[in-house]
């Protein structure tokens, strides 16, 4: 699986060429990435035109993506504020029970997270809360469940050097890493990202002062699950 909008290839086709395939699915192959050969199965179909509400939602998504991309390149706080405002409007249009709510939560979280990484925002709690809510809407078995776990792990890891609750973040990160790795086959993007997260969690845990409290012992037991026999840590 690929994550965070990584571009691996481009595919162009006319509507007529797609629709001429009828109901038959077709495959698109991508070049090798880190030794992994990925492909995508697509199926084209004609659907009813969207209503005004869906059209407005689509327009908002496009505007949000543009604002977020502009902030990434310009690093201007006003563009970040525009992106967050647009993504918040999209979330407001996706109430509880809406099929796109998890995606809306994730997009808003990522916009906020980018601002936090660049020190334009200080509120990491809102970021992790949004990622947690999105993860709750994508339980085990959902195709985006592993990716949502990774998003939350990455946000928590970024807290280590900037917040005062390192032990709390390490505990949650370790627990999530234990869940993520078994879901991702070796050689995939998420497995490599998860393994990198495990290394961060273990190293940070080893730096914690030893106080022999029940909480400290519990955290170290959870992290120990991430260190099989032969692990360098």
């Amino acid at each position: 699986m690929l994550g965070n909008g990584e571009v691996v290839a481009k595919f162009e086709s006319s509507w007529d060429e797609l629709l001429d395939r009828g109901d038959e699915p077709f495959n698109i192959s991508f070049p090798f990435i880190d030794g992994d050969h990925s492909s995508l199965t697509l199926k084209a179909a004609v659907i009813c035109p969207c209503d005004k509400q869906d059209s407005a939602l689509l327009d908002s998504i496009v505007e949000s993506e543009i604002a977020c991309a502009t902030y990434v390149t310009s690093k201007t706080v006003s563009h970040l504020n525009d992106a967050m405002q647009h993504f918040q409007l999209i979330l407001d249009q996706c109430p509880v029970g809406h099929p796109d709510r998890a995606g809306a939560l994730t997009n808003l979280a990522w916009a906020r997270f980018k601002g936090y990484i660049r020190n334009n925002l200080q509120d990491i709690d809102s970021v992790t809360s949004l990622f947690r809510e999105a993860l709750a809407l994508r339980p085990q078995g959902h195709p985006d469940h592993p990716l949502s776990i990774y998003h939350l792990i990455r946000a928590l890891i970024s807290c280590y050097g900037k917040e005062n609750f390192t032990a709390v973040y390490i505990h949650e990160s370790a627990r999530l890493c234990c869940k993520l790795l078994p879901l991702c086959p070796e050689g995939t993007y998420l497995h490599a990202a998860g393994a990198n997260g495990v290394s961060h969690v273990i190293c940070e845990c080893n730096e914690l002062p030893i106080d022999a409290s029940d909480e400290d012992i519990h955290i170290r037991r959870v992290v120990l699950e991430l260190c099989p026999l032969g692990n360098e840590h």
Side-chain angles (χ1 to χ4, degrees), residues 167-186:
V168 176
Y169 295 131
I170 289 177
H171 184 196
E172 186 174 5
S173 299
R175 181 176 56 81
L176 291 169
C177 285
C178 288
K179 291 184 177 180
L180 177 62
L181 287 181
L183 299 175
C184 306
E186 290 191 22

Side-chain angles (χ1 to χ4, degrees), residues 6 11 23 36 115 119 147 174 179 214 225 230:
E6 182 177 352
F11 172 76
D23 292 331
D36 181 44
N119 295 315
L147 186 59
K179 291 184 177 180
D214 290 342
E225 294 182 26

Side-chain angles (χ1 to χ4, degrees), residues 43-104:
K43 184 177 180 181
V46 178
I47 60 175
C48 296
C50 60
D51 57 25
K52 291 183 178 179
Q53 184 176 1
D54 290 336
S55 179
L57 180 60
L58 181 60
D59 290 341
S60 297
I61 293 174
V62 173
E63 292 173 359
S64 302
E65 294 289 353
I66 292 174
C68 193
T70 302
Y71 168 67
V72 170
T73 55
S74 70
K75 302 180 182 179
T76 304
V77 177
S78 61
H79 291 140
L80 172 64
N81 292 334
D82 288 343
M84 291 192 299
Q85 182 178 9
H86 283 305
F87 281 128
Q88 182 63 58
L89 289 173
I90 294 173
L91 181 59
D92 293 341
Q93 297 177 64
C94 300
V96 175
H98 193 285
D100 296 322
R101 183 170 177 81

